Amino acid sequence: MSKINKLFDSELRVINLGLESFSEELKLQKTEVVHVEWRPVAGGNKKLGNILNQLG
């Protein structure tokens, strides 16, 4: 069996980043899912993100 066939023959397990409603839908379908509440640094503001990066 090829690697791709093994992949699609295995049980789906998901790590969800960001949108929690997506993980909730997967749970309703009995899919194993871990939700990570992630947001871009400084709300996606590059200038502020660079300043914060220099502080740490």
Side-chain angles (χ1 to χ4, degrees), residues 2-48:
S2 71
K3 289 182 181 181
I4 194 76
N5 287 344
K6 286 181 184 179
L7 174 66
F8 285 107
D9 195 34
S10 62
E11 184 177 344
L12 182 63
R13 293 176 285 176
V14 178
I15 298 173
N16 180 61
L17 301 174
L19 192 59
E20 189 171 11
S21 62
F22 185 72
S23 67
E24 295 300 323
E25 289 297 321
L26 290 169
K27 287 178 187 176
L28 290 173
Q29 296 177 45
K30 308 293 188 228
T31 300
E32 185 178 342
V33 60
V34 173
H35 173 70
V36 178
E37 191 171 326
W38 178 87
R39 289 186 172 80
V41 175
N45 182 314
K46 288 184 179 184
K47 184 177 180 180
L48 183 55

